Amino acid sequence: MALFSAFQTTFLLALLSLKTYQSEVLSEPLSLAPESLEVSIDSARQCLHLQWSVHNLAYHQELKMVFQIEISRIKTSNVIWVENYSTTVKRNQVLRWNWESKLPLECAKHSVRMRGAVDDAQVPELRFWSNWTSWEEVDVQSSLGHDPLFVFPKDKLVEEGSNVTICYVSRSHQNNISCYLEGVRMHGEQLDPNVCVFHLKNVPFIRETGTNIYCKADQGDVIKGIVLFVSKVFEEPKDFSCETRDLKTLNCTWAPGSDAGLLTQLSQSYTLFESFSGKKTLCKHKSWCNWQVSPDSQEMYNFTLTAENYLRKRSVHLLFNLTHRVHPMAPFNVFVKNVSATNATMTWKVHSIGNYSTLLCQIELYGEGKVIQKQNVSVKVNGKHLMKKLEPSTEYAAQVRCANAHHFWKWSEWTRRNFTTAEAAPSEAPDVWRNVKSVQGHCVVTLFWKPLSKLQANGKILFYNVVLENLDRPSTLKLLSIPAPANGTELTLDRCSYQIHVTANNSVGTSPASVIAVSGDPGNKEVEEERVKGTEDGFCLSWKPQPGDVTGYVVEWCERPGDPLCDLQWKNLGPNTTSTVVSSDAFRPGVRYNFRIYGISTERIPYLLEKKTGYSQELVPSDNPQVLMSNLTSYSFTLSWKDYAAESQPGFVRGYSLYLKSKAARCLPGSEKAVLSDDSICCKYKIDNPKQKTFVVENLQPASFYEFFLTPYTSVGEGPQGAFTKVTTPDEYSHILIRIILPMIFSILLIMILCYLKSQWMKEKCYPDIPDPYKSSVLSLIKSKENPRLTIMNVKDCIPDAIEVINKQEGTRKSLTETEPTKPTYLYLLPTEKSHSGPGPCICFENFTYNQAASDSVSCGHVPVTPKAQPSQLGLLTSSENVPKALGKNYVNSLGEIPAGETNLNYVSQLASPMCGDKSSLPTNPPEPALCSEYKTQMAIPMGLASPPSITLLDEGEHDH
């Protein structure tokens, strides 16, 4: 008991001393000021790093303290930042704090100080600030060096849209410094004479290599610059999702977002944190990460994905149940078995997924590239499905996929298998048509059939059987086998009627037969052709229903009209159909297509009902007609183009347009003004009848110039514009002149031809040849004894029967106009019978050209002699003996050699005119001289010859030949 009392007393004394010590300690104010403050610089991040410690903690437990930090710039009184930093402090623990400066630290001097206070609930009464530490100064400019100019910050990296502060430091404040951003001058704020600050707001992304900033001094060549790297905004991960395929591993995926847009990409890190388990993992890939499922059957997961780069962090969250995120693996061991012509069986297996083994599997059957069957089946381990109603000899593709049957999340990948069903006999008869022609008394039938479709053939067609049944002799059959892939054959038949059966055959069997009949009597009738208009959908054809029994109709056409291989096409229609639309990809604009519509009788004999023709799309005419002009008059002309084939044009020719140009301002009746493509104005005649091939242009002006041009037109427009033909109308009297002049010219030509053919006869009758005196036969009668070579006839060789006496007046001559014309008197001399002793009858030539003046000084004329003049007055001798003597002088000399003073001597024809220069002075009753032999004699003697008394003067009318 004493021991217990002693122990109790000791315990109470110790407790009392402890309380006394504690009260003493707590009664004194604790001085927990920060000590050993150090400040350092991180130029790359533009940060100040502070570290300090608290030494005078009275005991070892931890205390919560708050530190107030002040930062000043340039001057300590210029405090730019104040912040309270709270943390738990241990004795002699080194504390750290960072501060990022918006202004580059090289641009100004910074100072830092701090103080501390206890902020612990255990000692609420001790919450007071300690004393400030001394200012810790940070001056980077002193360590920059001796360069005259600096620009900061160096190679700074910021995000697009950030605010950035730039500065320059100059060693000489006398220099004027200018700074530029991508060549654009910046305006800044002067911190001190050597430092200027520029604030850039919302900086844009310019290029991958960064934004250029430089500064230069106005004096000297000092230039300094930096590159500001601006990256695109760092985006948070998108489409963050996690799923499992086997309930053992979670696969999380996401889209990382766009890149920074810089040549040197910023390093990015992705961290996956699960809050329920507290586990964290650093992902090795930038778009996916695996997570091992906990073995303790954890179902709920709460993930946080954190993306981080140099500039910022981004985080996304995901909460889910593991059993709701099951994505099964693809089925395996997939087979298609028991394949027949119409059925097939598909089998497969699935991967086990723990206790959640029931899966929903989906089967799809593809035929010709599209889904034709779809079915869902519940499967645990093995799956099986029967596919029905398949087509024979057809390729199919079957595929299967599975998903969680209880909580659907995603389908697995498809597993696909291809197969082909077995063949079967063709199910449809071939579509058969024919073309019948008569050649040399035979019937040539060309059979055509369309290949069976894949669904109808039920396999590969090997050959076609053609059976000919003679209806006139039913027992006669003929079988032809045509190998595939032929689609027709040609048959030469007699004039009998035939029924033709066509079947298609594959490896399994034969198709139903297609029957068509050919009549021995074609009985084709003439059917008028109708026009139809095509559209984008094709040709809409209609026809009248036929009375009686009709088993159907057939529409026939060629897809390549004009080609010998026209690619004949046809369309079978039912008996109750009276219209259809014929469409084809082969239809082309500007091509005329001809359609024939046949009715099929109960005997399967086709007969023609209607013909139709049209264009899928009409075009303008491709060429113009060759126009011939005729019947040109002063007021009209006729144009014709009979050789123009309108059927060959790319559209129905609905008429013609005639353009006429003239100098007249107004158009002629029946025409209207029109403007051509070259803006020229002319007159237009419209010919609405396409069958008209002639046109008369009337009401023209005589002797006028015109130009014309003819072009056809369709419903789309006119043909191409060609060259105009020029024509000039004749004068209105020219045709009359032509009618007169042409016959005259013809008559003249005819006369000239006749004259040429009868030229010798005309010459003899109209102008005979002049005799040559040197070649005359008269000379042969004259025999000159003195000169046998004498060839010239002298005057003395011829006895004249008439003498023309010409008087020459003495003195001054008078002109012919002053001399009164006188009537000449002719003297006719005939020799008497008893006194005739001279030469025989003289032969003389009649020559009018000799009747001219012997001398230019004497007028050529007859000397007038009155009929009653006495013979003595004439002084002429009638004795023939004396005449030669009187004419002894030779007057054979040319007339130009006769002396001017002698009397004229002329040879005068009895038919010569009295005055050689004046035919009008002929006597009204000239004497008719007697002929000497067969020529008219003529002779002249010179005046003044002695006349013997024996000369007898005969009056006119008394002389005899």
Side-chain angles (χ1 to χ4, degrees):
M1 187 69 179
L3 180 61
F4 176 75
S5 298
F7 177 76
Q8 184 177 10
T9 302
T10 305
F11 176 75
L12 291 174
L13 290 173
L15 180 60
L16 178 62
S17 61
L18 178 60
K19 288 183 178 181
T20 303
Y21 173 76
Q22 184 178 5
S23 62
E24 290 179 355
V25 172
L26 294 177
S27 62
E28 296 180 359
L30 292 176
S31 176
L32 300 179
E35 299 177 5
S36 304
L37 176 62
E38 296 181 3
V39 181
S40 61
I41 295 176
D42 184 355
S43 297
R45 293 178 174 268
Q46 292 296 315
C47 289
L48 291 178
H49 296 293
L50 280 66
Q51 65 178 24
W52 70 93
S53 60
V54 180
H55 300 294
N56 53 354
L57 283 177
Y59 44 87
H60 295 284
Q61 75 259 31
E62 296 179 355
L63 290 177
K64 292 182 179 181
M65 293 188 66
V66 58
F67 298 94
Q68 189 176 66
I69 304 170
E70 287 187 351
I71 300 176
S72 63
R73 181 173 291 162
I74 302 176
K75 299 178 182 180
T76 56
S77 59
N78 183 24
V79 177
I80 61 171
W81 190 266
V82 177
E83 183 177 337
N84 293 332
Y85 170 63
S86 298
T87 186
T88 300
V89 181
K90 294 180 180 179
R91 184 179 179 84
N92 295 328
Q93 178 185 0
V94 177
L95 303 176
R96 291 180 175 83
W97 181 79
N98 297 327
W99 176 73
E100 183 177 357
S101 174
K102 294 183 178 180
L103 178 70
L105 298 176
E106 294 86 353
C107 299
K109 179 177 66 173
H110 292 79
S111 300
V112 181
R113 70 175 182 174
M114 67 169 53
R115 60 182 179 176
V118 177
D119 187 20
D120 200 319
Q122 297 179 8
V123 285
E125 68 277 4
L126 299 179
R127 295 181 179 178
F128 60 90
W129 293 108
S130 68
N131 296 326
W132 289 99
T133 63
S134 59
W135 288 99
E136 292 295 328
E137 184 178 286
V138 179
D139 187 5
V140 185
Q141 291 186 9
S142 59
S143 60
L144 292 179
H146 302 287
D147 289 347
L149 184 63
F150 299 92
V151 181
F152 298 101
K154 299 289 187 181
D155 301 330
K156 187 174 181 62
L157 176 63
V158 297
E159 272 189 341
E160 184 179 12
S162 302
N163 298 330
V164 181
T165 301
I166 308 295
C167 75
Y168 72 80
V169 178
S170 176
R171 292 304 186 184
S172 174
H173 62 272
Q174 295 181 355
N175 291 335
N176 187 10
I177 308 298
S178 300
C179 295
Y180 300 88
L181 170 66
E182 291 293 331
V184 180
R185 184 170 182 177
M186 301 184 296
H187 301 281
E189 174 187 356
Q190 202 76 31
L191 288 183
D192 60 38
N194 296 332
V195 179
C196 185
V197 178
F198 304 93
H199 301 284
L200 306 180
K201 296 182 179 180
N202 194 22
V203 292
F205 173 83
I206 296 179
R207 66 178 69 89
E208 294 178 347
T209 56
T211 303
N212 297 322
I213 301 173
Y214 64 93
C215 299
K216 64 178 181 179
D218 292 347
Q219 296 180 358
D221 55 354
V222 179
I223 298 178
K224 293 291 182 178
I226 60 171
V227 177
L228 179 65
F229 294 96
V230 180
S231 72
K232 294 182 179 179
V233 177
F234 183 55
E235 298 176 347
E236 66 180 19
K238 296 180 178 63
D239 303 326
F240 179 42
S241 177
C242 296
E243 61 185 21
T244 182
R245 312 205 72 166
D246 53 5
L247 296 179
K248 296 179 182 179
T249 303
L250 276 170
N251 179 255
C252 298
T253 58
W254 62 90
S258 60
D259 294 330
L262 299 175
L263 288 179
T264 303
Q265 298 296 334
L266 301 178
S267 60
Q268 300 174 1
S269 62
Y270 293 89
T271 304
L272 195 60
F273 173 72
E274 204 283 307
S275 61
F276 293 133
S277 63
K279 293 181 180 179
K280 184 178 182 181
T281 182
L282 181 64
C283 300
K284 297 179 180 180
H285 305 279
K286 63 182 298 185
S287 60
W288 61 275
C289 191
N290 288 332
W291 184 275
Q292 296 299 320
V293 176
S294 301
D296 55 359
S297 300
Q298 178 185 348
E299 290 188 0
M300 297 301 298
Y301 286 85
N302 186 12
F303 281 107
T304 299
L305 177 64
T306 302
E308 182 178 4
N309 68 0
Y310 175 81
L311 298 174
R312 67 167 68 213
K313 290 182 180 181
R314 297 282 193 178
S315 298
V316 290
H317 305 277
L318 180 64
L319 176 65
F320 61 91
N321 189 312
L322 179 64
T323 60
H324 298 176
R325 295 293 181 107
V326 177
H327 182 194
M329 289 186 285
F332 63 100
N333 289 346
V334 179
F335 300 101
V336 179
K337 303 177 180 179
N338 304 326
V339 180
S340 66
T342 56
N343 298 324
T345 301
M346 185 177 186
T347 61
W348 68 94
K349 291 183 178 182
V350 295
H351 295 274
S352 176
I353 309 177
N355 297 328
Y356 307 96
S357 57
T358 303
L359 297 178
L360 178 67
C361 295
Q362 185 179 76
I363 300 98
E364 287 184 350
L365 180 64
Y366 279 80
E368 295 182 354
K370 59 182 179 180
V371 178
I372 58 176
Q373 291 184 15
K374 184 182 288 188
Q375 188 69 37
N376 292 336
V377 179
S378 294
V379 177
K380 288 188 176 181
V381 178
N382 298 324
K384 182 179 181 180
H385 176 66
L386 176 63
M387 295 173 285
K388 303 178 181 180
K389 298 181 180 180
L390 305 180
E391 298 292 340
S393 186
T394 304
E395 294 181 357
Y396 291 97
Q399 59 184 16
V400 60
R401 62 181 180 179
C402 299
N404 189 352
H406 299 288
H407 303 284
F408 180 83
W409 166 244
K410 284 182 180 180
W411 289 106
S412 68
E413 293 80 8
W414 290 103
T415 301
R416 190 183 185 99
R417 293 292 181 269
N418 297 327
F419 66 98
T420 302
T421 55
E423 289 188 358
S427 59
E428 297 289 338
D431 187 359
V432 179
W433 187 237
R434 92 294 176 268
N435 185 19
V436 181
K437 294 185 297 183
S438 295
V439 179
Q440 296 179 353
H442 291 83
C443 183
V444 178
V445 179
T446 305
L447 282 180
F448 303 93
W449 55 80
K450 295 179 181 178
L452 295 177
S453 66
K454 212 169 192 182
L455 295 178
Q456 297 170 344
N458 294 335
K460 183 179 179 180
I461 300 299
L462 301 178
F463 58 91
Y464 296 89
N465 282 335
V466 179
V467 178
L468 301 178
E469 181 183 357
N470 192 325
L471 299 180
D472 298 335
R473 296 187 294 272
S475 61
T476 304
L477 296 177
K478 184 178 181 180
L479 174 64
L480 300 175
S481 183
I482 312 299
N487 59 355
T489 186
E490 188 173 280
L491 307 173
T492 302
L493 308 177
D494 53 22
R495 288 299 182 180
C496 297
S497 297
Y498 286 86
Q499 197 173 65
I500 304 173
H501 304 257
V502 181
T503 58
N505 300 265
N506 62 10
S507 61
V508 177
T510 302
S511 72
S514 180
V515 181
I516 191 169
V518 178
S519 175
D521 180 16
N524 293 329
K525 62 178 181 178
E526 292 296 329
V527 178
E528 185 178 355
E529 190 175 63
E530 299 179 5
R531 290 184 178 182
V532 292
K533 185 176 182 180
T535 62
E536 293 180 356
D537 299 328
F539 291 91
C540 183
L541 306 178
S542 62
W543 56 92
K544 297 178 181 179
Q546 295 301 304
D549 296 332
V550 177
T551 61
Y553 298 95
V554 174
V555 179
E556 172 192 282
W557 73 95
C558 279
E559 290 195 344
R560 293 197 301 270
D563 192 336
L565 303 175
C566 74
D567 191 9
L568 182 68
Q569 299 293 321
W570 67 94
K571 187 176 183 180
N572 279 301
L573 301 167
N576 299 323
T577 304
T578 57
S579 64
T580 186
V581 176
V582 178
S583 60
S584 173
D585 294 335
F587 288 156
R588 292 170 293 153
V591 178
R592 178 180 289 193
Y593 295 95
N594 299 315
F595 300 90
R596 289 177 172 83
I597 301 171
Y598 294 86
I600 308 298
S601 66
T602 54
E603 293 82 11
R604 304 298 301 172
I605 299 176
Y607 57 94
L608 181 63
L609 296 178
E610 295 184 14
K611 293 181 180 179
K612 298 182 184 294
T613 183
Y615 297 84
S616 61
Q617 181 183 349
E618 288 192 62
L619 304 177
V620 298
S622 58
D623 55 6
N624 298 319
Q626 296 292 331
V627 182
L628 300 177
M629 185 186 66
S630 61
N631 299 334
L632 177 62
T633 67
S634 301
Y635 301 97
S636 67
F637 57 84
T638 302
L639 302 178
S640 62
W641 54 97
K642 296 182 179 180
D643 296 335
Y644 184 65
E647 294 76 11
S648 63
Q649 297 304 309
F652 291 118
V653 174
R654 300 178 181 270
Y656 301 89
S657 296
L658 175 63
Y659 293 93
L660 185 67
K661 289 183 180 180
S662 66
K663 296 181 180 179
R666 294 187 303 172
C667 290
L668 300 176
S671 64
E672 59 183 7
K673 281 191 176 181
V675 180
L676 300 178
S677 58
D678 57 356
D679 296 332
S680 60
I681 299 176
C682 63
C683 296
K684 177 181 178 181
Y685 294 87
K686 193 171 184 181
I687 304 171
D688 296 328
N689 184 7
K691 296 183 180 180
Q692 181 179 342
K693 297 298 181 69
T694 60
F695 185 78
V696 180
V697 183
E698 299 176 326
N699 301 319
L700 304 178
Q701 296 297 323
S704 298
F705 178 75
Y706 295 93
E707 293 180 272
F708 66 87
F709 166 68
L710 183 76
T711 182
Y713 64 87
T714 64
S715 61
V716 181
E718 296 181 347
Q721 183 175 347
F724 278 75
T725 303
K726 301 176 181 179
V727 59
T728 302
T729 57
D731 186 75
E732 59 181 333
Y733 301 108
S734 60
H735 65 284
I736 301 176
L737 295 176
I738 291 175
R739 292 179 181 177
I740 296 174
I741 292 175
L742 287 179
M744 291 179 62
I745 294 175
F746 178 76
S747 300
I748 293 173
L749 290 176
L750 183 59
I751 292 173
M752 292 176 65
I753 293 172
L754 293 175
C755 290
Y756 176 77
L757 296 176
K758 299 293 184 175
S759 59
Q760 187 64 31
W761 181 82
M762 292 291 293
K763 181 178 180 182
E764 293 175 356
K765 296 298 181 181
C766 297
Y767 50 95
D769 292 337
I770 299 172
D772 188 353
Y774 293 95
K775 298 179 181 180
S776 176
S777 61
V778 176
L779 300 178
S780 62
L781 301 176
I782 302 174
K783 297 180 181 180
S784 176
K785 296 180 181 179
E786 298 177 357
N787 188 4
R789 295 183 181 180
L790 178 64
T791 58
I792 302 301
M793 183 179 66
N794 295 324
V795 178
K796 63 182 180 179
D797 297 328
C798 184
I799 300 174
D801 59 356
I803 296 176
E804 179 183 356
V805 180
I806 299 174
N807 292 329
K808 177 180 178 183
Q809 297 179 3
E810 301 294 337
T812 306
R813 299 177 184 177
K814 292 183 180 180
S815 64
L816 292 175
T817 57
E818 295 176 355
T819 304
E820 182 181 356
T822 58
K823 184 176 180 180
T825 301
Y826 293 87
L827 300 180
Y828 297 91
L829 303 179
L830 294 177
T832 58
E833 294 180 1
K834 56 183 179 181
S835 61
H836 186 275
S837 61
C842 68
I843 298 175
C844 301
F845 296 100
E846 180 184 10
N847 193 337
F848 293 100
T849 58
Y850 290 177
N851 185 18
Q852 58 182 333
S855 176
D856 293 336
S857 61
V858 179
S859 298
C860 179
H862 299 281
V863 178
V865 180
T866 60
K868 297 180 178 180
Q870 298 297 324
S872 59
Q873 293 175 326
L874 297 174
L876 296 178
L877 297 178
T878 58
S879 176
S880 57
E881 302 178 72
N882 299 326
V883 172
K885 298 179 181 179
L887 299 177
K889 189 176 181 179
N890 191 353
Y891 289 93
V892 183
N893 295 331
S894 65
L895 298 177
E897 296 175 357
I898 299 174
E902 296 182 3
T903 302
N904 289 346
L905 177 62
N906 296 334
Y907 290 96
V908 180
S909 171
Q910 294 178 2
L911 298 181
S913 59
M915 187 74 69
C916 61
D918 187 5
K919 294 181 180 181
S920 62
S921 59
L922 288 171
T924 57
N925 296 313
E928 296 181 2
L931 298 178
C932 179
S933 182
E934 57 186 358
Y935 293 96
K936 296 178 182 179
T937 58
Q938 56 187 2
M939 178 54 82
I941 60 175
M943 295 298 294
L945 293 178
S947 300
S950 60
I951 293 179
T952 303
L953 178 64
L954 298 179
D955 291 334
E956 185 177 356
E958 296 179 356
H959 65 278
D960 191 11
H961 292 284

